[in-house]
Amino acid sequence: LSFNQDNTCFSAVTDRGFFVFNTEPYRPLICRDFESGLSLLSMLFRFEVFVLVGSSYSPSPSAAATNTKALLWDDHASRCIGELSFRSPIRSIRLRRDTIVVILLHKIYLYNFSDLKLLHQLETTSNPKGLCEVSQISGPMLLVCPGLQKGSVRVENYGSKKCKFINAHSSNITCLALTHDGRVLATASSKGTLIRCFNTLDGTLIQEVRRGADRAEIYCLAFSPTAQWLAVSSDKGTIHVFSLKADSVVLGDD
């Protein structure tokens, strides 16, 4: 399951194909049966272009053959218009209007959306969850991902062409979230007790909130559109919603 970039749609991949739903009002939009499984789908806003990743074994040529290939699928034309192949399984995909980001266990590859030309590649610490987030406003991209050390986050600013490492936690990073404009980063570690928010421009800590005292596995971090609120879900069966000061500190709101 995954949302698109502005949460107006969400998609579900199955062992036969995929579905796309409108969130508000809720209604089914697309249903595709490839008769073979998918492990990942990433959609670009509401355009009919998707990046599909097959499951570990997909016998049908109409879908991605394995989880080491990413297929650019034009749903309007019902055909594949591009392919990216790798030597190891794809952990996740992130899309912008100009960039495709493919996350592997130890590497991240950035491609130009229009011609699939390789733009950049990054090395990370072991990243089995495929943690990576990118800014979505027009202009130079900001990318965040695990660094090379335990608890470290790499902030790659393609506008200033600067790379910054933030020592966010003492244990492994397990969840990341980025505001739409890329100015505020939220992180959680394998302890799952503290959530920290950072200014991505200078790496300073803006705020720290406590989810609880007991160890928890954080499933998801999500900012509201204005970064006024941060929602946190975990294996405890609860969702915490925190009030943030990040909007006034970083975004300059009154």
Side-chain angles (χ1 to χ4, degrees), residues 79-98:
R79 67 184 183 93
C80 175
I81 57 175
E83 179 181 309
L84 297 167
S85 295
F86 303 90
R87 294 181 180 178
S88 61
I90 297 169
R91 303 291 172 158
S92 66
I93 302 278
R94 295 291 180 267
L95 297 183
R96 275 172 47 105
R97 295 176 192 271
D98 53 1

Side-chain angles (χ1 to χ4, degrees), residues 195-198 204-209 242-246:
I195 315 297
R196 294 189 170 113
C197 294
F198 298 91
T204 56
L205 178 66
I206 299 171
Q207 192 172 349
E208 180 179 276
V209 295
F242 297 98
S243 175
L244 299 182
K245 58 185 180 184

Side-chain angles (χ1 to χ4, degrees), residues 59-203:
S60 171
S62 61
T66 69
N67 58 0
T68 62
K69 289 184 179 180
L71 292 189
L72 198 57
W73 176 261
D74 184 336
D75 199 67
H76 182 72
S78 295
R79 67 184 183 93
C80 175
I81 57 175
E83 179 181 309
L84 297 167
S85 295
F86 303 90
R87 294 181 180 178
S88 61
I90 297 169
R91 303 291 172 158
S92 66
I93 302 278
R94 295 291 180 267
L95 297 183
R96 275 172 47 105
R97 295 176 192 271
D98 53 1
T99 312
I100 298 174
V101 183
V102 180
I103 300 95
L104 308 182
L105 184 62
H106 293 283
K107 280 205 168 185
I108 295 177
Y109 294 91
L110 284 72
Y111 296 89
N112 192 35
F113 211 120
S114 59
D115 58 9
L116 300 185
K117 178 184 177 182
L118 181 63
L119 300 174
H120 194 204
Q121 54 183 301
L122 311 169
E123 289 191 10
T124 69
T125 186
S126 181
N127 188 14
K129 291 187 175 182
L131 301 178
C132 180
E133 299 297 336
V134 295
S135 60
Q136 291 296 338
I137 59 172
S138 60
M141 179 173 66
L142 189 136
L143 178 149
V144 296
C145 64
L148 294 169
Q149 306 293 328
K150 182 173 68 172
S152 161
V153 177
R154 177 173 186 157
V155 179
E156 197 75 30
N157 190 324
Y158 289 91
S160 64
K161 297 182 179 179
K162 291 182 179 179
C163 173
K164 181 178 290 294
F165 289 91
I166 299 173
N167 294 319
H169 299 271
S170 58
S171 49
N172 288 321
I173 303 294
T174 57
C175 208
L176 294 172
L178 198 61
T179 52
H180 202 69
D181 59 11
R183 293 191 192 182
V184 183
L185 161 71
T187 65
S189 75
S190 56
K191 289 183 180 179
T193 53
L194 294 175
I195 315 297
R196 294 189 170 113
C197 294
F198 298 91
N199 183 334
T200 58
L201 299 179
D202 57 16

Side-chain angles (χ1 to χ4, degrees), residues 228-244:
Q228 182 183 2
W229 311 100
L230 177 70
V232 181
S233 69
S234 73
D235 64 351
K236 298 295 187 182
T238 58
I239 295 176
H240 290 64
V241 180
F242 297 98
S243 175
L244 299 182

